[in-house]
Amino acid sequence: MRRREFIKLIAGAAAARPLAANAQRSPLPLVGYLDSTTAAIRTNRVLGLRQGLSEAGFVEGGNVAIEYRWAEDRPDRLPAMAADLVRRQVAVMVVSGPALAAAKAASSTIPIVFVTGADPVNDGYVASLNRPSSNLTGVSFYSTPLDPKRFELLHELIPKSAVIAALMDPTIVQSEANLRAVEAASRALGRQVLVVRAVEEREFDPAFATIVQAGARAVFVGTGPLYFNRHRQLVALANRHALPATYGWREPVEAGGLMSYGASDTDACRRAGHYVGRILKGAKPGDLPVELPTRYELVFNLRTAKTLKLEIPSKLLALADEVIE
Amino acid sequence: MSEQANGKLAPSATLRQINGPLFRKYVALFLAVVFVVLLSNVLFEVGFSYQEHKSSLIRIQREQAEAAAAKIGQFIKELESQVGWTTQLPWTAGTIDQRRFDGLRLLRQVPAVTELSQLDSSGKEQLRVSRLAMDVIGSQIDFSREPKFTEAVAKKVYYGPVYFRRESEPYMTLSLAGTGRDAGVSVAEVNLKLIWEVVSQIKVGERGQAYVIDAQGRLVAHPDISLVLRNTDMTQLAQVKAGRAAGSGAPAEPMQVAHDVRGREVLTAYAPIAPLGWLMFVELPVEEAYAPLYAAIERSGALLLAGLALAFFSGLFLARRMVVPIQTIQRGAARIGGGDLSQRIAIRTGDELEALADQFNSMAAQLEDSYAGLERKVEERTHQLEVANLAKSRFLAAASHDLRQPLQALGMFVDQLRDQMKTAEGGRLVERIDVAVAAMNELFNALLDISKLDAGVLSTNITAIPIARLLKRIEDTFAGAAREKGLSLRVVTSSAWVRSDVILVERVLLNLVSNAVRYTSSGGIVVGCRRRGQHIHIEVCDTGPGIPEDQRRNIFGEFYRISKGDSHGGLGLGLAIVDRLCKLLDHPIELTSVVGKGSRFSVAVPSAPAQSEFAEPQAVVSIAPDVLRGKLVVVIDDDVLVLDAIGGELRKWGCLVVSVDSLDAALASLGATGRPDLIISDYRLANGESGIATIARLRAALGTNVPAFLLSGDTAPERLREARASGHHLLHKPVRPMRLRAMVSQLLQKDIAGAA
């Protein structure tokens, strides 16, 4: 008799425990995603992040939840959103480059994983790639430092005498140094360069007008969040003015731009997803070094070339990693 | 155990009933044997499978390490061959553009190469193409002293040490010299993160991993790339030390248990990646490596337990089958040994146990037969003895009777001779003849007494006797003889009364004292009484030589004298007569004696209440005529054996016997036989009938007071009182033939006397 009662007691306790555990476990670990632009522009990055998380064993909705905050090109909203995420007690924050400052200000204890196109050390995000700071690490797709190389590639396409306009964003971090690098490249190549600045979308039209008026025969589109986020407009403008343009990412080329050279930000987000997974499993951000890309792609859009009536040398085409017809 | 009505013992048992030492022993033995077998089997299996498992693990790990090392080697070789293409053209041929294009194409085809520079045959850099930085043409930087130039020129290929760009990216310099005389050297900077991709795809079990250490012991590739990027130093791990110590040419060593970079216990194996001097390590967590082994051990353990459980129950079953027949036999044998010879053991197992049980049964049957045979033989012998004894006594009686006549005549002649004899010499002679005649007379009297006693023809007349009278007679008889011998005779009188036959008991005492006087040479004789319970013990004590222990029984035998030489004038018959008289009167006699000091004979006589006067017996003890012959005796007893015994005795003496077991049967028999002369009834019959009531009813049915007496197996005093109150005599079972005969004679005689 006593034995039976004992067994009932144990069975009851065993059944009660999962309920209790469920009650405790119902809030999933929360990942906060803070971005300065809109969700529409960032679809591929979000996909990459999800991909990376699933490779690390976390499925959105299954064992992790992601809170998205889009500032929609209004940087002044970022601090409040960052603070909100902190209040929500997110386990990790994933931020794009421009949102990093707000995130850092909002919390110095919540782990932050950034995704940026800049050189993190150059731009002062972290002290060293090897050992980033205590709660900060991330992935760079390294687009801005490649500007000279990209300029060199564009230089191959355009007749030597023509002027290449460089459309640069002066608001990015280290913009002056970057500009000087581009100018040095053009000098090394013996190419005349025209620097045009545009700090916001409204300035695109006038900028292009200036470029056309100056007689430049190609546009080197600089890097930076603004230009990335508004690449469609830039592509449209370039094509309207029948100007071959080079970009730092593949998306503009897919949208109709002529060529691009750079690493994939989707892949960078995937790597960031891996890092988020590891931090959720207990790794410390300071132990995770900042990753740089291993592959850089040269992409051409042949249709655009045809429209521009531009002959791409077969040698250059042979070196392309991808050709869009 | 179950017993069937016919006295057979058959096996059946519950577990509790058969749980004895033998059962437990068998079960334990069975269990032990099975346990030893199973355990040794399990241990062998486990031991062997441990060895096999370990050696197969070693083999697998080694093969994996070598395969992984081969993969890396392959990767490097591919790299080499690709870079080798760029060294085809000597510097004198081809344009810089062409070379630049070749270089860029290499960059496209080999993602691992971040930078390719080409040095001319004097070591000056002529071209540098880069993935990240701008290409540089004709820089003329002099690398002629660098190992990447000198080694490549010397050995055709140079593998530079692993270095870290910006402290976080592992790179290696690979330079190849061209085949031609003027070919120069191509130098490629290889991003080793791409080796990491190869390494991270190597699967080692579930949670094992493979990693690569360069010649300096630094981590080059690891599934966890952050360890690589952090430039983790692995040189402290034991397996790394062993691997580096072994040298690049040594084959992969057997696996050892070590700790990995995170401190977990792992089994490791390594293989060298030959041209580079790197080491490929393959590690498997110990728990995973040995998991199948532990599972096998658990399975074996479970099997062992299951086998033990099975063995236990089988053992119970088998032991039961063995032990139950043995126990049946044991109990049956115990019963037979305890005397129940009719017991038989029934076992049907069809094996040696059944044969053993049959042997026991036949042995018991034989014992039964023997006993029956023995009893019969004993009966026969006893019967023969009795007959012989009786014949002897009768012969003696007859002979002595015949011899009495001449003896009587002799006595008379002696008297006459005495009168006639005038001389003194003659007178003395006559006296001696007289003494001899008296002795002969005495002898014949004694012989006759014995024969009478043996024949059972003496009937007793039990009355109440004052002891004082007996004692006075003794004193009167022996005072003179004692004084003559110089002995003191003290007779302590008593006022007690006893129940006995006055003449016979007197005879007993006279014989005892006569013996005492005869055999005591000095000292004295004391005769006294002691009351004990319902008896008075009459004791005759003397200071004679005493009787040794071993002769105590013999002295009551006929013609027995202790010392053969000195007869003291006795024939040795005195005590024989005492013995028989005591048996007849049912007075137990006791002898206590110490050799050299004296003897004491003690006769226990039942006491009687004191009466006012003593009636001298009128009738003289005489040989009773054979009153039994032809008399009809009805014996009523519910015990068949008693009926048989008594009826047999009575028939031997010439009576007609009707043996019945109840009053009704007795009444029924009367019609056939007519009036009986004597009724003998058991005191308590079946169905609670009382013997007394039975006798009364029979007497009533017959209309006369037929003589009767009671038999009882019950010696309780109440029986005696009740019997005495009823006026019947009571004999105690088992009845000795002599007493039976005496009682029957006495009652029949009385009847005759009464009738007459």
Side-chain angles (χ1 to χ4, degrees), chain B residues 119-123 142-158 175 177 185 187:
Chain B
L119 313 177
D120 66 9
S121 46
S122 60
D142 186 6
F143 289 108
S144 56
R145 296 232 173 76
E146 303 274 319
K148 61 186 174 185
F149 177 75
T150 54
E151 291 285 319
V153 167
K155 295 186 187 141
K156 292 290 180 231
V157 65
Y158 165 75
S175 56
V185 171
V187 181

Side-chain angles (χ1 to χ4, degrees), chain A residues 119 121-122 129-131 142 145-146 148-149 152 156 185 188-189 261 271 275 278 287-296 315-316 318-321, chain B residues 97-98 100-101 104-108 111 129-136 165-169 191 193-194 196-197 224-227 229-231 262:
Chain A
D119 181 329
V121 174
N122 252 2
L129 294 175
N130 208 358
R131 290 193 190 276
Y142 216 60
L146 285 180
K149 183 73 185 175
E152 184 187 65
E156 304 274 320
L189 293 168
Y261 181 68
R271 305 286 323 153
Y275 268 11
R278 287 179 63 177
D287 290 341
L288 303 172
V290 178
E291 283 194 21
L292 299 180
T294 50
R295 284 187 171 80
Y296 302 90
K315 282 208 284 202
L316 206 56
L319 295 176
D321 292 290
Chain B
D97 268 341
Q98 178 76 19
R100 183 155 168 263
F101 179 67
L104 287 172
R105 207 171 50 172
L106 178 79
L107 290 186
R108 180 172 175 268
V129 292
S130 165
R131 220 181 273 280
L132 301 178
M134 289 179 60
D135 301 339
V136 175
R165 281 198 180 181
R166 308 188 65 173
E167 288 187 353
S168 71
E169 289 182 301
N191 185 350
K193 258 172 89 175
L194 286 108
W196 168 80
E197 285 177 10
D224 179 8
I225 195 168
S226 60
L227 286 178
L229 299 180
R230 280 220 309 278
N231 195 3
R262 288 196 189 83

Side-chain angles (χ1 to χ4, degrees), chain B residues 395-407 444:
Chain B
F395 167 74
L396 280 176
S400 60
H401 201 273
D402 286 341
L403 285 168
R404 266 192 188 268
Q405 315 295 25
L407 208 54
F444 284 136

Side-chain angles (χ1 to χ4, degrees), chain B residues 405-587:
Chain B
Q405 315 295 25
L407 208 54
Q408 190 122 359
L410 204 55
M412 284 194 316
F413 291 146
V414 166
D415 281 337
Q416 283 180 5
L417 199 57
R418 198 183 283 121
D419 290 338
Q420 294 280 340
M421 199 52 69
K422 295 297 184 226
T423 62
E425 185 77 31
R428 270 202 303 279
L429 208 56
V430 167
E431 291 314 312
R432 281 208 206 103
I433 295 172
D434 197 16
V435 166
V437 168
M440 275 196 342
N441 238 343
E442 205 184 306
L443 171 64
F444 284 136
N445 280 341
L447 280 176
L448 189 59
D449 283 344
I450 285 200
S451 64
K452 276 196 267 180
L453 282 168
D454 278 347
V457 296
L458 278 184
S459 55
T460 59
N461 182 15
I462 310 290
T463 58
I465 312 162
I467 288 196
R469 183 188 176 302
L470 292 171
L471 296 174
K472 182 141 191 340
R473 271 277 294 178
I474 290 168
E475 192 157 14
D476 291 342
T477 311
F478 291 99
R483 212 180 311 121
E484 258 178 51
K485 265 188 101 173
L487 305 166
S488 70
L489 173 64
R490 200 158 77 91
V491 177
V492 182
T493 192
S494 164
S495 58
W497 284 58
V498 294
R499 278 190 78 78
S500 188
D501 183 309
V502 62
I503 296 179
L504 296 180
V505 79
E506 198 179 283
R507 195 60 201 279
V508 167
L509 294 174
L510 288 173
N511 277 14
L512 285 175
V513 179
S514 161
N515 257 19
V517 169
R518 187 172 294 156
Y519 289 102
T520 306
S521 41
S522 67
I525 295 129
V526 178
V527 182
C529 309
R530 219 189 280 266
R531 184 183 286 275
R532 283 230 175 84
Q534 300 280 4
H535 293 290
I536 308 270
H537 291 237
I538 307 176
E539 298 178 353
V540 177
C541 310
D542 68 53
T543 57
I547 300 156
E549 182 99 30
D550 51 341
Q551 299 195 348
R552 288 214 188 134
R553 232 176 325 133
N554 297 342
I555 57 171
F556 288 105
E558 299 152 22
F559 303 113
Y560 192 89
R561 285 178 301 217
I562 290 177
S563 44
K564 300 291 182 210
D566 185 8
S567 69
H568 291 262
L571 279 170
L573 289 176
L575 283 182
I577 293 174
V578 164
D579 179 47
R580 284 163 171 74
L581 281 175
C582 284
K583 285 210 179 78
L584 179 65
L585 293 167
D586 204 11
H587 299 330

Side-chain angles (χ1 to χ4, degrees), chain A residues 62-119:
Chain A
N63 53 357
V64 73
I66 309 179
E67 275 286 323
Y68 300 94
R69 293 282 182 273
W70 308 101
E72 287 164 5
D73 297 320
R74 295 226 294 281
D76 49 303
R77 292 171 66 186
L78 287 172
M81 285 180 164
D84 178 47
L85 282 178
V86 170
R87 249 197 323 276
R88 297 286 309 271
Q89 288 184 320
V90 293
V92 186
M93 270 209 276
V94 181
V95 299
S96 66
L100 181 58
K104 267 167 84 167
S107 165
S108 59
T109 53
I110 294 182
I112 301 172
V113 177
F114 60 78
V115 177
T116 180
D119 181 329

Side-chain angles (χ1 to χ4, degrees), chain B residues 41-118:
Chain B
N41 184 39
V42 162
L43 288 177
F44 267 124
E45 288 255 357
V46 167
F48 279 123
S49 74
Y50 173 78
Q51 290 304 324
E52 284 167 11
H53 187 73
K54 193 154 181 228
S55 56
S56 83
L57 266 183
I58 288 171
R59 204 182 55 246
I60 290 172
Q61 287 291 93
R62 197 188 304 178
E63 283 169 6
Q64 266 195 314
E66 284 172 357
K71 258 197 192 157
I72 303 296
Q74 182 75 10
F75 177 84
I76 299 292
K77 281 237 160 17
E78 289 262 340
L79 205 61
E80 267 180 49
S81 85
Q82 293 283 356
V83 173
W85 283 108
T86 64
T87 61
Q88 293 299 315
L89 292 173
W91 275 102
T92 49
T95 64
I96 205 73
D97 268 341
Q98 178 76 19
R99 288 186 181 273
R100 183 155 168 263
F101 179 67
D102 282 347
L104 287 172
R105 207 171 50 172
L106 178 79
L107 290 186
R108 180 172 175 268
Q109 280 169 349
V110 186
V113 176
T114 302
E115 202 172 277
L116 180 75
S117 51
Q118 296 204 308

